[in-house]
Amino acid sequence: MTSTVPALGTRTAEGSALQAVLLDMDGTLVDTEGFWWDVEVEVFASLGHTLDESWRHVVVGGPMTRSAGFLIEVTGADITLPELTVLLNKGFEERIDQALPLMPGAARLLTELYEHEVPTALVSASHRRIIDRVLDRLGPRHFALSVAGDEVARTKPHPDPYLVAAAGLGADPARCAVVEDTATGIASAEAAGCHVVAVPSVAPVAPAGRRTVVTSLEEVDLAFLRSLIAAR
């Protein structure tokens, strides 16, 4: 876990039960889920293998070890997991260095949370080297801390990343709002006891329990997040 700006503690507006907002990265704040798939297709093509489009839903949102391991297994490619991880990270870095499109509503939401001093964390299954590159573009001031997939013993879909983020902000997970786009990330946040706002990117997500589904971050603002937690 790396702190990117001084921790904000648990300051919230009067009458609000919301203590922190925890945000996924790929497909949630930045439109990069397609980048990962394009890189995977490109790397495996160089190894002599064609990826089936149906596998995209299996690997989306998952940690590198799971996604890369699955693709090695189903293709039988002659490459080790560490070797493939290096190639995938390198290819992804090259793409985000050229362009890093934000999801609609992302910039506005980050600005609003920052201006209202809401403790906010970036929680991703991506490796630290990737997160830091994206943070430079998003503006590290927007996040009190960030948690990378290679910094926790168990990454998404396990609850560890969100439990670590909540603890780092001094927040009760039950009073944290998480914004996620994939089933893997949603499972992680729900296992941690957080309320999830799902903004599906690649695969559809159904409303359930402590989960609210929206079509875009354009529908999400601070008042909306506070209302979800206060209602519980």
Coordinates of all heavy atoms in Angstrom, one line a residue, residues 19-108:
Q19 N -17.9 7.3 5.2 CA -16.6 7.6 5.7 C -15.5 7.6 4.7 O -14.4 8.3 4.9 CB -16.2 6.6 6.8 CG -17.1 6.7 8.1 CD -16.7 5.7 9.1 OE1 -16.0 4.8 8.9 NE2 -17.2 6.0 10.3
A20 N -15.6 6.9 3.6 CA -14.6 6.9 2.6 C -15.2 6.4 1.2 O -16.2 5.7 1.2 CB -13.4 6.0 3.0
V21 N -14.5 6.7 0.2 CA -14.9 6.2 -1.2 C -13.7 5.5 -1.7 O -12.5 6.1 -1.8 CB -15.3 7.4 -2.1 CG1 -15.6 6.8 -3.5 CG2 -16.5 8.1 -1.6
L22 N -13.9 4.3 -2.2 CA -12.8 3.4 -2.7 C -13.1 3.1 -4.1 O -14.1 2.6 -4.5 CB -12.7 2.1 -1.9 CG -12.8 2.3 -0.3 CD1 -12.8 0.9 0.4 CD2 -11.7 3.2 0.2
L23 N -12.1 3.5 -5.0 CA -12.4 3.4 -6.4 C -11.5 2.4 -7.1 O -10.3 2.4 -7.0 CB -12.2 4.8 -7.1 CG -13.1 5.9 -6.5 CD1 -12.5 7.3 -6.8 CD2 -14.5 5.8 -7.1
D24 N -12.1 1.6 -8.0 CA -11.3 0.7 -8.9 C -10.7 1.6 -10.0 O -11.1 2.8 -10.1 CB -12.2 -0.4 -9.5 CG -11.6 -1.2 -10.5 OD1 -10.5 -1.7 -10.3 OD2 -12.1 -1.3 -11.6
M25 N -9.8 1.0 -10.7 CA -9.1 1.8 -11.7 C -9.5 1.5 -13.2 O -10.3 2.2 -13.8 CB -7.6 1.7 -11.6 CG -6.7 2.6 -12.5 SD -5.0 2.4 -12.1 CE -4.6 0.9 -13.0
D26 N -9.0 0.3 -13.7 CA -9.3 -0.1 -15.1 C -10.8 -0.3 -15.3 O -11.4 -1.1 -14.6 CB -8.5 -1.3 -15.4 CG -7.0 -1.1 -15.4 OD1 -6.6 -0.3 -16.2 OD2 -6.3 -1.8 -14.7
G27 N -11.3 0.4 -16.3 CA -12.7 0.2 -16.6 C -13.7 1.0 -15.8 O -14.9 1.1 -16.1
T28 N -13.2 1.5 -14.7 CA -14.0 2.3 -13.7 C -13.7 3.8 -13.9 O -14.6 4.6 -14.2 CB -13.8 1.9 -12.3 OG1 -14.2 0.5 -12.2 CG2 -14.7 2.7 -11.3
L29 N -12.4 4.2 -13.7 CA -12.0 5.5 -13.8 C -11.4 5.8 -15.2 O -11.5 6.9 -15.8 CB -11.0 5.9 -12.7 CG -11.5 6.0 -11.3 CD1 -10.4 6.3 -10.3 CD2 -12.6 7.1 -11.2
V30 N -10.6 4.8 -15.7 CA -10.0 5.0 -17.0 C -10.4 3.9 -17.9 O -10.7 2.7 -17.5 CB -8.4 4.9 -16.8 CG1 -7.9 6.1 -16.2 CG2 -8.0 3.7 -16.0
D31 N -10.6 4.2 -19.2 CA -11.2 3.3 -20.2 C -10.1 2.4 -20.7 O -9.7 2.6 -21.9 CB -11.9 4.1 -21.3 CG -12.7 3.3 -22.2 OD1 -12.9 2.1 -21.9 OD2 -13.2 3.8 -23.2
T32 N -9.6 1.5 -19.9 CA -8.5 0.7 -20.3 C -8.7 -0.8 -20.3 O -7.7 -1.6 -20.6 CB -7.3 1.0 -19.3 OG1 -7.7 0.9 -18.0 CG2 -6.7 2.4 -19.5
E33 N -9.9 -1.3 -19.9 CA -10.1 -2.7 -20.0 C -9.8 -3.3 -21.3 O -9.2 -4.4 -21.5 CB -11.5 -3.1 -19.5 CG -11.9 -2.9 -18.1 CD -11.2 -3.9 -17.1 OE1 -10.3 -4.6 -17.6 OE2 -11.5 -3.9 -15.9
G34 N -10.2 -2.5 -22.4 CA -9.9 -3.0 -23.7 C -8.4 -3.0 -24.0 O -7.9 -3.8 -24.8
F35 N -7.6 -2.1 -23.4 CA -6.2 -2.1 -23.6 C -5.6 -3.4 -23.2 O -4.7 -4.0 -23.9 CB -5.5 -1.0 -22.8 CG -5.8 0.4 -23.3 CD1 -6.7 0.7 -24.3 CD2 -5.0 1.5 -22.8 CE1 -6.8 1.9 -24.8 CE2 -5.2 2.8 -23.2 CZ -6.1 3.0 -24.3
W36 N -6.0 -3.9 -22.0 CA -5.5 -5.2 -21.5 C -5.7 -6.3 -22.5 O -4.9 -7.1 -22.8 CB -6.0 -5.5 -20.1 CG -5.4 -4.8 -19.0 CD1 -6.1 -3.8 -18.2 CD2 -4.1 -4.8 -18.5 NE1 -5.2 -3.3 -17.3 CE2 -4.0 -3.9 -17.4 CE3 -3.0 -5.6 -18.9 CZ2 -2.8 -3.8 -16.7 CZ3 -1.8 -5.4 -18.2 CH2 -1.7 -4.5 -17.1
W37 N -7.0 -6.4 -23.0 CA -7.3 -7.5 -23.9 C -6.5 -7.4 -25.2 O -6.0 -8.3 -25.7 CB -8.8 -7.5 -24.2 CG -9.2 -8.5 -25.1 CD1 -9.7 -8.4 -26.4 CD2 -9.2 -10.0 -24.9 NE1 -10.0 -9.6 -27.0 CE2 -9.7 -10.6 -26.1 CE3 -8.8 -10.8 -23.9 CZ2 -9.8 -12.0 -26.2 CZ3 -8.9 -12.1 -24.0 CH2 -9.4 -12.7 -25.2
D38 N -6.4 -6.2 -25.7 CA -5.6 -5.9 -26.9 C -4.2 -6.4 -26.7 O -3.6 -7.0 -27.7 CB -5.6 -4.5 -27.3 CG -7.0 -4.0 -27.8 OD1 -7.9 -4.9 -28.1 OD2 -7.2 -2.8 -27.9
V39 N -3.6 -6.1 -25.6 CA -2.2 -6.5 -25.3 C -2.1 -8.0 -25.2 O -1.2 -8.6 -25.8 CB -1.7 -5.8 -24.0 CG1 -0.3 -6.4 -23.6 CG2 -1.5 -4.3 -24.2
E40 N -3.1 -8.6 -24.6 CA -3.1 -10.1 -24.4 C -3.2 -10.7 -25.8 O -2.4 -11.7 -26.1 CB -4.2 -10.5 -23.5 CG -4.0 -10.2 -22.0 CD -5.2 -10.1 -21.2 OE1 -6.3 -10.2 -21.8 OE2 -5.1 -10.0 -20.0
V41 N -4.0 -10.2 -26.6 CA -4.2 -10.8 -28.0 C -2.9 -10.6 -28.8 O -2.4 -11.6 -29.4 CB -5.3 -10.0 -28.7 CG1 -5.3 -10.4 -30.2 CG2 -6.7 -10.4 -28.1
E42 N -2.3 -9.5 -28.7 CA -1.0 -9.2 -29.4 C 0.1 -10.1 -28.9 O 0.9 -10.6 -29.7 CB -0.7 -7.7 -29.2 CG 0.5 -7.2 -30.0 CD 0.6 -5.7 -29.8 OE1 -0.1 -4.9 -30.5 OE2 1.5 -5.3 -29.0
V43 N 0.3 -10.2 -27.6 CA 1.4 -11.0 -27.1 C 1.2 -12.5 -27.4 O 2.2 -13.1 -27.9 CB 1.5 -10.9 -25.5 CG1 2.4 -11.9 -24.9 CG2 1.9 -9.5 -25.2
F44 N 0.0 -13.0 -27.3 CA -0.2 -14.4 -27.6 C -0.1 -14.7 -29.1 O 0.3 -15.7 -29.6 CB -1.5 -14.9 -27.1 CG -1.4 -15.3 -25.6 CD1 -1.6 -14.4 -24.6 CD2 -1.1 -16.6 -25.3 CE1 -1.5 -14.8 -23.3 CE2 -0.9 -17.0 -24.0 CZ -1.2 -16.1 -23.0
A45 N -0.4 -13.7 -29.9 CA -0.3 -13.8 -31.4 C 1.2 -14.0 -31.7 O 1.6 -14.7 -32.6 CB -0.9 -12.6 -32.1
S46 N 2.1 -13.2 -31.0 CA 3.5 -13.3 -31.2 C 4.0 -14.7 -30.8 O 5.1 -15.1 -31.2 CB 4.2 -12.2 -30.4 OG 4.2 -12.4 -29.0
L47 N 3.3 -15.3 -29.9 CA 3.7 -16.7 -29.5 C 3.0 -17.8 -30.3 O 3.2 -19.0 -30.1 CB 3.3 -16.9 -28.0 CG 3.9 -15.9 -27.0 CD1 3.3 -16.1 -25.6 CD2 5.4 -16.2 -26.9
G48 N 2.3 -17.4 -31.3 CA 1.6 -18.3 -32.2 C 0.3 -18.8 -31.8 O -0.2 -19.9 -32.3
H49 N -0.4 -18.0 -31.0 CA -1.7 -18.4 -30.5 C -2.8 -17.3 -30.7 O -2.5 -16.2 -30.6 CB -1.7 -18.8 -29.0 CG -0.7 -19.9 -28.7 ND1 -1.1 -21.2 -28.8 CD2 0.6 -19.9 -28.3 CE1 -0.1 -22.0 -28.5 NE2 1.0 -21.2 -28.2
T50 N -4.0 -17.8 -31.0 CA -5.1 -16.8 -31.2 C -6.0 -17.0 -30.0 O -6.5 -18.1 -29.7 CB -5.9 -17.2 -32.5 OG1 -5.0 -17.0 -33.6 CG2 -7.1 -16.2 -32.7
L51 N -6.4 -15.9 -29.4 CA -7.2 -15.9 -28.2 C -8.7 -15.8 -28.7 O -9.1 -15.1 -29.6 CB -7.0 -14.7 -27.3 CG -5.6 -14.6 -26.7 CD1 -5.5 -13.5 -25.7 CD2 -5.1 -15.9 -26.1
D52 N -9.5 -16.7 -28.0 CA -10.9 -16.7 -28.3 C -11.6 -15.5 -27.6 O -11.3 -15.2 -26.4 CB -11.5 -18.0 -27.8 CG -12.9 -18.3 -28.2 OD1 -13.8 -17.4 -28.0 OD2 -13.2 -19.3 -28.9
E53 N -12.5 -14.8 -28.3 CA -13.1 -13.6 -27.7 C -13.9 -14.0 -26.5 O -14.0 -13.1 -25.6 CB -14.1 -13.0 -28.8 CG -14.8 -11.8 -28.3 CD -13.9 -10.6 -28.2 OE1 -12.8 -10.5 -28.8 OE2 -14.2 -9.6 -27.4
S54 N -14.4 -15.2 -26.3 CA -15.2 -15.6 -25.2 C -14.3 -15.6 -23.9 O -14.8 -15.5 -22.8 CB -15.8 -17.0 -25.4 OG -14.8 -18.0 -25.5
W55 N -13.0 -15.7 -24.0 CA -12.1 -15.7 -22.9 C -12.0 -14.3 -22.3 O -11.6 -14.2 -21.1 CB -10.7 -16.2 -23.3 CG -10.7 -17.6 -23.8 CD1 -11.7 -18.6 -23.5 CD2 -9.7 -18.2 -24.6 NE1 -11.3 -19.8 -24.2 CE2 -10.1 -19.6 -24.8 CE3 -8.5 -17.8 -25.2 CZ2 -9.4 -20.5 -25.6 CZ3 -7.8 -18.7 -25.9 CH2 -8.2 -20.0 -26.1
R56 N -12.4 -13.3 -23.0 CA -12.3 -12.0 -22.5 C -13.1 -11.8 -21.2 O -12.6 -11.1 -20.3 CB -12.8 -11.0 -23.5 CG -12.6 -9.5 -23.1 CD -13.0 -8.6 -24.3 NE -12.8 -7.2 -23.9 CZ -12.9 -6.2 -24.8 NH1 -13.2 -6.4 -26.1 NH2 -12.7 -5.0 -24.4
H57 N -14.2 -12.4 -21.1 CA -15.0 -12.2 -19.9 C -14.5 -13.0 -18.7 O -14.8 -12.7 -17.6 CB -16.5 -12.7 -20.2 CG -17.2 -11.9 -21.2 ND1 -17.5 -10.6 -21.0 CD2 -17.6 -12.2 -22.5 CE1 -18.1 -10.1 -22.1 NE2 -18.2 -11.1 -23.0
V58 N -13.6 -14.0 -19.0 CA -13.0 -14.7 -17.9 C -11.8 -13.9 -17.3 O -11.7 -13.9 -16.1 CB -12.4 -16.1 -18.5 CG1 -11.7 -16.8 -17.3 CG2 -13.5 -16.9 -19.1
V59 N -11.1 -13.2 -18.1 CA -9.9 -12.5 -17.6 C -10.1 -11.1 -17.2 O -9.3 -10.5 -16.5 CB -8.8 -12.5 -18.7 CG1 -8.4 -14.0 -19.0 CG2 -9.2 -11.8 -19.9
V60 N -11.3 -10.5 -17.6 CA -11.5 -9.1 -17.3 C -11.6 -8.8 -15.8 O -12.2 -9.6 -15.1 CB -12.8 -8.6 -18.0 CG1 -14.0 -9.3 -17.5 CG2 -12.9 -7.1 -17.9
G61 N -10.9 -7.8 -15.3 CA -11.0 -7.4 -13.9 C -10.2 -8.3 -13.0 O -10.2 -8.0 -11.8
G62 N -9.6 -9.3 -13.5 CA -8.9 -10.2 -12.6 C -7.4 -9.8 -12.3 O -6.9 -9.0 -13.1
P63 N -6.8 -10.4 -11.3 CA -5.4 -10.1 -11.1 C -4.6 -10.7 -12.2 O -5.0 -11.7 -12.9 CB -5.1 -10.8 -9.7 CG -6.2 -11.9 -9.7 CD -7.4 -11.3 -10.3
M64 N -3.4 -10.2 -12.4 CA -2.5 -10.6 -13.5 C -2.2 -12.1 -13.4 O -2.2 -12.8 -14.4 CB -1.2 -9.8 -13.4 CG -0.2 -10.2 -14.4 SD -0.6 -9.6 -16.1 CE -0.2 -7.9 -15.9
T65 N -2.0 -12.6 -12.2 CA -1.6 -14.0 -12.0 C -2.8 -14.9 -12.5 O -2.5 -15.9 -13.2 CB -1.3 -14.4 -10.6 OG1 -2.4 -13.9 -9.7 CG2 0.0 -13.7 -10.1
R66 N -4.0 -14.5 -12.2 CA -5.1 -15.4 -12.6 C -5.4 -15.3 -14.1 O -5.5 -16.3 -14.8 CB -6.4 -14.9 -11.9 CG -7.6 -15.9 -12.1 CD -8.9 -15.3 -11.7 NE -9.4 -14.3 -12.6 CZ -10.5 -13.6 -12.5 NH1 -11.2 -13.7 -11.4 NH2 -10.8 -12.7 -13.4
S67 N -5.4 -14.0 -14.6 CA -5.7 -13.8 -16.1 C -4.6 -14.4 -16.9 O -4.9 -15.2 -17.9 CB -5.8 -12.3 -16.4 OG -6.8 -11.7 -15.6
A68 N -3.3 -14.1 -16.6 CA -2.2 -14.6 -17.4 C -2.1 -16.2 -17.3 O -1.9 -16.9 -18.3 CB -0.9 -14.0 -17.0
G69 N -2.3 -16.6 -16.1 CA -2.3 -18.1 -15.9 C -3.3 -18.8 -16.6 O -3.1 -19.9 -17.2
F70 N -4.5 -18.3 -16.7 CA -5.6 -18.9 -17.4 C -5.3 -18.9 -18.9 O -5.5 -20.0 -19.6 CB -6.9 -18.1 -17.2 CG -8.0 -18.5 -18.2 CD1 -8.8 -19.6 -17.9 CD2 -8.3 -17.7 -19.3 CE1 -9.8 -19.9 -18.8 CE2 -9.3 -18.0 -20.2 CZ -10.1 -19.2 -19.9
L71 N -4.8 -17.9 -19.5 CA -4.5 -17.8 -20.9 C -3.3 -18.8 -21.3 O -3.3 -19.4 -22.3 CB -4.1 -16.4 -21.3 CG -5.3 -15.4 -21.2 CD1 -4.8 -14.0 -21.5 CD2 -6.4 -15.8 -22.2
I72 N -2.4 -18.9 -20.4 CA -1.3 -19.9 -20.7 C -1.9 -21.3 -20.7 O -1.5 -22.1 -21.5 CB -0.2 -19.8 -19.6 CG1 0.6 -18.5 -19.7 CG2 0.8 -21.0 -19.7 CD1 1.6 -18.2 -18.6
E73 N -2.8 -21.6 -19.7 CA -3.3 -22.9 -19.6 C -4.2 -23.3 -20.8 O -4.1 -24.3 -21.4 CB -4.2 -23.0 -18.4 CG -4.8 -24.4 -18.2 CD -5.6 -24.5 -16.9 OE1 -5.6 -23.5 -16.1 OE2 -6.3 -25.5 -16.7
V74 N -5.1 -22.3 -21.3 CA -6.0 -22.7 -22.3 C -5.3 -22.7 -23.7 O -5.8 -23.3 -24.6 CB -7.2 -21.7 -22.4 CG1 -8.1 -21.9 -21.1 CG2 -6.8 -20.3 -22.6
T75 N -4.2 -21.9 -23.9 CA -3.5 -21.9 -25.2 C -2.4 -22.9 -25.2 O -2.0 -23.3 -26.3 CB -3.0 -20.5 -25.4 OG1 -2.0 -20.2 -24.4 CG2 -4.1 -19.5 -25.5
G76 N -1.9 -23.3 -24.1 CA -0.7 -24.1 -24.0 C 0.6 -23.4 -24.5 O 1.6 -24.0 -24.9
A77 N 0.6 -22.1 -24.4 CA 1.7 -21.3 -24.8 C 3.0 -21.6 -24.1 O 2.9 -21.9 -22.8 CB 1.4 -19.8 -24.7
D78 N 4.1 -21.6 -24.8 CA 5.4 -22.0 -24.2 C 6.0 -20.7 -23.5 O 6.9 -20.1 -24.1 CB 6.3 -22.6 -25.2 CG 7.7 -23.1 -24.6 OD1 7.7 -23.2 -23.4 OD2 8.6 -23.2 -25.4
I79 N 5.5 -20.3 -22.4 CA 6.0 -19.1 -21.7 C 5.6 -19.3 -20.2 O 4.6 -19.9 -19.9 CB 5.4 -17.8 -22.3 CG1 6.1 -16.6 -21.7 CG2 3.9 -17.8 -22.0 CD1 5.7 -15.3 -22.4
T80 N 6.5 -18.8 -19.4 CA 6.2 -18.9 -17.9 C 5.4 -17.7 -17.5 O 5.3 -16.6 -18.2 CB 7.5 -18.8 -17.1 OG1 8.2 -17.6 -17.3 CG2 8.5 -20.0 -17.6
L81 N 4.7 -17.8 -16.4 CA 3.9 -16.7 -15.8 C 4.7 -15.4 -15.6 O 4.3 -14.3 -16.0 CB 3.2 -17.1 -14.6 CG 2.2 -16.2 -13.9 CD1 1.1 -15.8 -14.9 CD2 1.6 -16.7 -12.7
P82 N 5.9 -15.5 -15.0 CA 6.7 -14.3 -14.8 C 7.1 -13.6 -16.2 O 7.1 -12.4 -16.3 CB 8.0 -14.7 -14.1 CG 7.5 -16.0 -13.3 CD 6.5 -16.6 -14.3
E83 N 7.4 -14.4 -17.2 CA 7.8 -13.9 -18.5 C 6.6 -13.2 -19.1 O 6.7 -12.1 -19.7 CB 8.3 -15.0 -19.4 CG 9.7 -15.6 -19.0 CD 10.0 -16.8 -19.8 OE1 9.1 -17.5 -20.3 OE2 11.2 -17.2 -19.8
L84 N 5.4 -13.8 -19.0 CA 4.2 -13.2 -19.6 C 3.8 -12.0 -18.9 O 3.4 -11.0 -19.5 CB 3.1 -14.3 -19.6 CG 1.8 -13.8 -20.2 CD1 1.9 -13.3 -21.6 CD2 0.7 -14.9 -20.1
T85 N 4.0 -11.9 -17.6 CA 3.6 -10.8 -16.8 C 4.4 -9.6 -17.3 O 3.9 -8.4 -17.4 CB 3.9 -11.0 -15.3 OG1 3.0 -12.1 -14.9 CG2 3.6 -9.8 -14.5
V86 N 5.7 -9.7 -17.5 CA 6.6 -8.7 -18.0 C 6.1 -8.1 -19.3 O 6.0 -6.9 -19.5 CB 8.0 -9.1 -18.1 CG1 8.9 -8.1 -18.8 CG2 8.6 -9.4 -16.7
L87 N 5.8 -9.0 -20.2 CA 5.3 -8.6 -21.6 C 4.0 -7.9 -21.5 O 3.8 -6.9 -22.2 CB 5.2 -9.9 -22.5 CG 6.5 -10.6 -22.8 CD1 6.2 -11.8 -23.7 CD2 7.5 -9.6 -23.6
L88 N 3.1 -8.4 -20.7 CA 1.8 -7.7 -20.6 C 1.9 -6.3 -20.0 O 1.3 -5.4 -20.5 CB 0.8 -8.6 -19.8 CG 0.4 -9.9 -20.4 CD1 -0.5 -10.7 -19.5 CD2 -0.2 -9.8 -21.8
N89 N 2.6 -6.2 -18.9 CA 2.8 -4.9 -18.3 C 3.5 -3.9 -19.3 O 3.1 -2.7 -19.3 CB 3.6 -5.0 -17.0 CG 2.8 -5.4 -15.8 OD1 1.6 -5.1 -15.7 ND2 3.3 -6.1 -14.9
K90 N 4.5 -4.4 -20.0 CA 5.2 -3.5 -20.9 C 4.3 -3.0 -22.0 O 4.2 -1.8 -22.4 CB 6.4 -4.3 -21.5 CG 7.2 -3.5 -22.5 CD 8.4 -4.3 -23.0 CE 9.3 -3.4 -23.9 NZ 8.7 -3.1 -25.2
G91 N 3.5 -4.0 -22.6 CA 2.5 -3.6 -23.6 C 1.5 -2.6 -23.1 O 1.1 -1.7 -23.9
F92 N 1.0 -2.8 -21.9 CA 0.0 -1.9 -21.4 C 0.6 -0.5 -21.1 O 0.0 0.5 -21.4 CB -0.5 -2.5 -20.1 CG -1.7 -1.7 -19.5 CD1 -3.0 -1.8 -20.0 CD2 -1.5 -0.8 -18.4 CE1 -4.0 -1.1 -19.5 CE2 -2.5 -0.1 -17.9 CZ -3.8 -0.2 -18.4
E93 N 1.8 -0.5 -20.6 CA 2.4 0.8 -20.3 C 2.6 1.6 -21.6 O 2.4 2.8 -21.6 CB 3.8 0.6 -19.7 CG 3.7 0.1 -18.2 CD 5.0 -0.3 -17.7 OE1 6.0 -0.2 -18.4 OE2 5.1 -0.7 -16.5
E94 N 3.0 0.9 -22.7 CA 3.1 1.6 -24.0 C 1.8 2.2 -24.4 O 1.8 3.3 -25.0 CB 3.7 0.6 -25.0 CG 5.1 0.2 -24.8 CD 5.6 -0.9 -25.7 OE1 4.7 -1.5 -26.4 OE2 6.8 -1.3 -25.7
R95 N 0.7 1.5 -24.2 CA -0.6 2.1 -24.6 C -1.0 3.3 -23.8 O -1.5 4.3 -24.3 CB -1.6 0.9 -24.6 CG -1.6 0.1 -25.8 CD -2.4 -1.2 -25.6 NE -2.6 -1.9 -26.9 CZ -1.7 -2.6 -27.5 NH1 -0.5 -2.7 -27.0 NH2 -1.9 -3.2 -28.7
I96 N -0.8 3.2 -22.5 CA -1.3 4.3 -21.7 C -0.4 5.5 -21.8 O -0.8 6.6 -21.5 CB -1.5 3.9 -20.2 CG1 -0.2 3.5 -19.5 CG2 -2.5 2.8 -20.0 CD1 -0.3 3.2 -18.1
D97 N 0.9 5.3 -22.2 CA 1.7 6.4 -22.5 C 1.3 7.2 -23.7 O 1.5 8.4 -23.8 CB 3.2 5.9 -22.7 CG 3.9 5.6 -21.3 OD1 3.3 5.9 -20.3 OD2 4.9 4.9 -21.4
Q98 N 0.6 6.5 -24.6 CA 0.1 7.2 -25.8 C -1.2 7.9 -25.6 O -1.5 9.0 -26.1 CB 0.0 6.1 -26.9 CG 1.3 5.5 -27.4 CD 1.0 4.3 -28.4 OE1 0.0 4.2 -28.9 NE2 2.1 3.5 -28.5
A99 N -2.1 7.2 -24.8 CA -3.4 7.8 -24.5 C -4.0 7.1 -23.2 O -3.8 5.9 -23.1 CB -4.3 7.6 -25.7
L100 N -4.6 7.9 -22.4 CA -5.3 7.4 -21.2 C -6.7 8.0 -21.1 O -6.9 9.0 -20.4 CB -4.4 7.7 -20.0 CG -5.0 7.0 -18.7 CD1 -5.0 5.5 -18.8 CD2 -4.1 7.5 -17.5
P101 N -7.6 7.5 -21.8 CA -9.0 8.0 -21.8 C -9.7 7.8 -20.5 O -9.6 6.7 -19.9 CB -9.7 7.3 -23.0 CG -9.0 6.0 -23.1 CD -7.5 6.3 -22.7
L102 N -10.3 8.8 -19.9 CA -11.1 8.7 -18.7 C -12.5 8.2 -19.0 O -13.0 8.5 -20.1 CB -11.1 10.0 -18.0 CG -9.8 10.6 -17.5 CD1 -10.1 11.9 -16.7 CD2 -9.0 9.7 -16.7
M103 N -13.1 7.5 -18.1 CA -14.5 7.2 -18.3 C -15.3 8.4 -18.1 O -15.0 9.3 -17.3 CB -14.9 6.1 -17.2 CG -14.1 4.8 -17.4 SD -14.3 4.0 -18.9 CE -16.0 3.3 -18.8
P104 N -16.5 8.5 -18.8 CA -17.3 9.7 -18.6 C -17.7 9.9 -17.1 O -18.1 9.0 -16.5 CB -18.6 9.3 -19.4 CG -18.0 8.3 -20.5 CD -17.0 7.5 -19.7
G105 N -17.5 11.1 -16.7 CA -17.9 11.4 -15.3 C -16.8 11.2 -14.3 O -16.9 11.7 -13.1
A106 N -15.7 10.6 -14.7 CA -14.6 10.3 -13.7 C -13.9 11.6 -13.2 O -13.7 11.7 -12.0 CB -13.5 9.4 -14.4
A107 N -13.6 12.5 -14.1 CA -12.9 13.7 -13.7 C -13.7 14.5 -12.7 O -13.3 15.0 -11.7 CB -12.5 14.5 -14.9
R108 N -15.0 14.6 -13.1 CA -15.9 15.4 -12.2 C -16.0 14.8 -10.8 O -16.0 15.5 -9.8 CB -17.3 15.5 -12.9 CG -18.3 16.2 -12.0 CD -19.8 15.8 -12.3 NE -19.9 14.4 -12.6 CZ -20.1 13.5 -11.6 NH1 -20.1 13.8 -10.4 NH2 -20.3 12.2 -12.0

